[in-house]
Amino acid sequence: MSQALRSSSGASRSDEAPARHVLAVDLGTSGVKVALIAIDGRVAGWESEPVALHVLPGGGAEQRPDDWWDGLVAAAGRLLSRSPAAAREVAAVCCSTQGEGTVPVDAAGQPLMNAILWQDMRGASALARQFRGIVNYSGMSLPRIRRWIRLTGGMPSPTGKDPAAHMLLVRDAFPDVYERTFKFLNVLDYLNLRLTGRFVATHDSILTSWVTDNRHAGRIRYDERLVHDCGIAADKLPEIVGCSDVLGSLAAEAAAALGLPAATPVVAGAIDNTAAAIGSGAVDDFATHLYIGTSSWLAAHVPFKKTDARTGIASVPCAVPGRWLLTAMQSTAGGNLTFLRDNVLYHHDELLTEERLPDVFKIFDRMAARVPAGSNGLIYTPWIWGERAPVDDRALRAGLHNISLDTTREDIVRAFFEGVALNTRWLLAPVEKFLGRPVRAINLVGGGGQSAIWCRIFADVLGVEVRQVRDAIQANARGAAWIAAVGLGEIEFRDVPGLVGIEEVFEPRAAERAVYDERFAAFVELHKRLRTLYRRLNHEA
């Protein structure tokens, strides 16, 4: 597939005639990106707008829903004014967003408080109170866990990091908000509400409320027993639709804000891991992609519903009809580099002399490339905000291990890259067991997919071929665009692999294998030795 050439500002140039485009929205934790993407996947242009994260005492993490919408409108306005030809050919609007967030809204669609994000752990105690039983596992009733796994494929995270706990937090800690709540919406659902006026959830956005029967991929529906037991009034849950369903046309207010015709269709879209699976091109059964953004995951479409309760890996509803998406989630991946930039190297205190930050991630790439495999003995464990898989442990924290007097800043930077890769290798073994076959190749997408050195490190650490997908940072938006194209009848999902471009292929190098085998063994041992200490330090039972 030919790709439009994009400048660093997101502009594109192409000598081809105007094509139909999707205005694709990618709302992540760090900000919102808006892209114009042709039906064949070419990126005509994109713009982005940061969104502030509010970290609160007690494990809270919030964002203002109005900031999401304002960022979307601002980025879309710049993009559409800069690409008028493509803007005139907008066939639909479709969103991909961070998942596992919760927004209580009133009957007029107004948010009643800040959105509670996927990192937020404040609902853990409310979750434990709601679901404890005589026979417990991780503080929850064993019969309930069996029912969740049989029907949904998973269970609420004991860390409190999903909507099942968020809604209970609102009920117990903010009872006035709960009483006024008309619907609890996920992040994607909220944007679709702003775009269309409809209160709906998608097959994937409703998943981590843990109230749906997911045994039949084409018929995701609420289960009366799960809804009854969840502790939330049934009428506060939204209608469920498919990811490629057309929700209707833009609401008048949204059309005016975006500068698009009110007749423009809106397709339901998907949360980030579902959209990235499409945008990576890994649509065929068992084809695997790795997403590296603020968080990360390994994922693959499979023709079966299955759960590995020990490692927290399951196949769950997705966008592709008749299929489920295996997802193994790492809580924080690229977010570790953001932490290194913002909290260590360029923290705003009296040591900071620069008002304008350089493009520090490209500098990180150059620094990491100068250091040999193994970071001169340094190991970084990237559990900076707990972990999800292959262990679900909110008490874990990040650490640099084996620092010595001759450790350099370059060693530290490379260790951050390698630590995320080592954690991904930890995930890979249970993923391969789940799939019933070895993973031979991985399509790498997300912001981390822009880094050639990180792709190289992943190939060497994992021992598999890593394919750097072209326009890797636009994978979620491109996935949203293709979900919209399917919804409009322009393409089928089976067409997607042929539309994806590969920038470079990285084969694992045998010379690095011994170093990374030793580092990986030490990495796993660090977890084994430190997990009890972290629970004590962070006051976890």
Side-chain angles (χ1 to χ4, degrees), residues 479-494:
W482 282 331
I483 289 170
V486 170
L488 297 177
E490 300 273 357
I491 65 170
E492 297 180 6
F493 281 118
R494 65 185 179 185

Side-chain angles (χ1 to χ4, degrees), residues 372-374 414 456 460-461 508-518:
R414 183 170 181 112
R456 161 52 57 208
D460 291 339
V461 170
R509 299 176 296 188
E512 316 296 341
R513 187 68 185 186
V515 173
Y516 285 129
D517 283 350
E518 186 275 331

